Amino acid sequence: MKRKKQMFEFVLTSVFGAIIMLLALIPNLGYVTIFPGVSITLVHIPVLIGVFILSIRSSLILGLFFGVSSLIASYMYGVSPFDLAFRNPLIAIIPRVLFALGAFYIVKMFKKLFTIKHGKYIMFGLLSVITIFVTTFGLNSMFKKIIYNSHDSLVAESIVIENELTKLLDIENPTDEQLLIIEDLKVKQLSLTIEIPRELNKANAQYNNLRIFIYTIIGVISLALIILYYFTIIIKNSKNAYIPTALILSTILHTILVLGTVSIANPRTFNETFGNNNNVITTIFIFMLINGFIEAIFAALIGTPIAIAMEKRLAEEE
């Protein structure tokens, strides 16, 4: 019986590993750009589903699959400096293995919560607080990202031009071609100093006009989810209610681990990608609320029914 269970886990780990590699290595399948400036990772979802039904050792193996696939993908179709940063095994592999470890214990903690006295009320309160926080800051940050996308692109372009100018101006005896490039960059920089404030004012006006609409959406979504939690946890007493929360928290953990590792192992790429306007913690927090929030919602929507079905199937077989 024990050998049969080990073989079953080995096969399941191999299947999940193959799915992870498939998602990671086919462009725009596991890493999807949904609109300009915002892309989401879906490769972590098979890892999360595996965490619910596999041992800690197999969960770590799935994390390793995830990391190695990121490393290979960066060589296959990495373009931006941030993509190329994952050619460093420290950045590609370590945060993904730690993510699998953290997700395993998050799932274990939420499962344990249902076994203690008043656990469902603690779960309901915890879910409600997390939902209000994530939807309020996450959706607001997401809308801001969309509205301020043109302004942020111009700022990023300005930073690139400034860096190029600094390099060229440091040359003691520039060639005629380099002098022409310098003049061209100065013209572009001057143009951007006019365009950036204009785009900022335009984005501010647009955001102020949409603010009531944005917070109405946030309020409706938060209230609907809290009512759903109350029905499933308090009324129906569903033991599967913890699954979407565990998926969301684990996804946010993944975002923090990856960005934190990049900021430590490759600070130059981190600053080039996100700018120097905020400190590292603030930048990670903002990015977590935008991309991390979207990835978390996708993880919950895709992973929850699959995890419930697989847990139910395994329980029936036992």
Side-chain angles (χ1 to χ4, degrees):
M1 186 68 182
K2 185 179 178 181
R3 183 173 175 79
K4 184 180 178 182
K5 189 176 180 180
Q6 287 176 340
M7 182 58 68
F8 176 77
E9 181 151 324
F10 173 77
V11 171
L12 210 53
T13 304
S14 301
V15 170
F16 278 122
I19 292 170
I20 290 165
M21 297 297 286
L22 184 72
L23 286 172
L25 301 182
I26 297 178
N28 286 321
L29 187 61
Y31 301 100
V32 185
T33 300
I34 54 174
F35 46 77
V38 178
S39 60
I40 59 169
T41 301
L42 301 179
V43 190
H44 69 295
I45 296 176
V47 180
L48 290 174
I49 295 169
V51 160
F52 280 93
I53 55 177
L54 298 172
S55 66
I56 186 169
R57 184 179 66 177
S58 296
S59 299
L60 291 174
I61 291 171
L62 293 183
L64 184 62
F65 267 109
F66 186 12
V68 171
S69 68
S70 300
L71 182 69
I72 298 170
S74 69
Y75 280 98
M76 287 178 63
Y77 54 83
V79 177
S80 69
F82 193 78
D83 294 335
L84 300 179
F86 287 88
R87 291 182 179 181
N88 181 347
L90 183 70
I91 295 173
I93 297 173
I94 290 179
R96 269 58 192 271
V97 174
L98 291 175
F99 152 66
L101 180 66
F104 181 85
Y105 283 106
I106 286 172
V107 170
K108 195 173 182 180
M109 178 189 72
F110 276 105
K111 278 184 178 179
K112 185 79 174 176
L113 197 57
F114 262 108
T115 63
I116 65 173
K117 188 179 181 181
H118 305 305
K120 65 179 183 179
Y121 295 102
I122 297 171
M123 174 70 76
F124 173 71
L126 187 61
L127 281 176
S128 299
V129 170
I130 292 169
T131 297
I132 292 169
F133 176 80
V134 172
T135 52
T136 301
F137 290 99
L139 283 174
N140 189 44
S141 298
M142 187 180 75
F143 278 114
K144 273 190 171 182
K145 178 69 177 176
I146 298 168
I147 293 167
Y148 286 86
N149 184 60
S150 296
H151 167 262
D152 293 342
S153 298
L154 291 175
V155 171
E157 186 181 348
S158 176
I159 292 169
V160 171
I161 290 173
E162 188 177 343
N163 290 337
E164 287 296 319
L165 268 174
T166 303
K167 290 176 185 176
L168 289 168
L169 291 171
D170 286 340
I171 299 172
E172 291 184 6
N173 297 306
T175 63
D176 291 340
E177 186 180 350
Q178 287 171 334
L179 287 171
L180 287 172
I181 293 171
I182 289 170
E183 289 304 315
D184 185 51
L185 289 174
K186 283 182 177 179
V187 171
K188 287 181 180 178
Q189 192 178 44
L190 181 62
S191 174
L192 286 171
T193 57
I194 298 169
E195 285 186 64
I196 289 172
R198 187 190 301 158
E199 281 295 329
L200 180 60
N201 291 332
K202 183 180 173 183
N204 284 337
Q206 191 177 358
Y207 178 72
N208 288 331
N209 290 334
L210 291 172
R211 186 173 290 180
I212 295 174
F213 170 74
I214 291 168
Y215 280 101
T216 300
I217 290 176
I218 290 169
V220 169
I221 292 174
S222 298
L223 183 61
L225 288 172
I226 289 170
I227 291 171
L228 179 64
Y229 297 152
Y230 184 81
F231 176 76
T232 55
I233 299 172
I234 307 299
I235 305 298
K236 200 176 178 183
N237 197 27
S238 173
K239 291 185 178 180
N240 292 322
Y242 76 94
I243 292 177
T245 308
L247 289 168
I248 289 170
L249 288 180
S250 299
T251 301
I252 290 172
L253 173 66
H254 170 254
T255 303
I256 294 169
L257 287 170
V258 170
L259 292 181
T261 306
V262 174
S263 70
I264 294 168
N266 197 334
R268 182 178 176 182
T269 296
F270 187 87
N271 290 331
E272 284 180 2
T273 305
F274 302 106
N276 295 308
N277 297 329
N278 301 307
N279 61 44
V280 171
I281 295 173
T282 303
T283 301
I284 292 173
F285 180 74
I286 293 170
F287 193 83
M288 177 193 77
L289 292 174
I290 300 171
N291 283 49
F293 171 74
I294 299 169
E295 290 175 2
I297 296 301
F298 271 86
L301 290 174
I302 297 169
T304 301
I306 298 173
I308 290 172
M310 294 198 75
E311 282 196 328
K312 186 178 178 181
R313 178 67 177 172
L314 290 174
E316 287 174 355
E317 288 186 0
E318 288 176 0

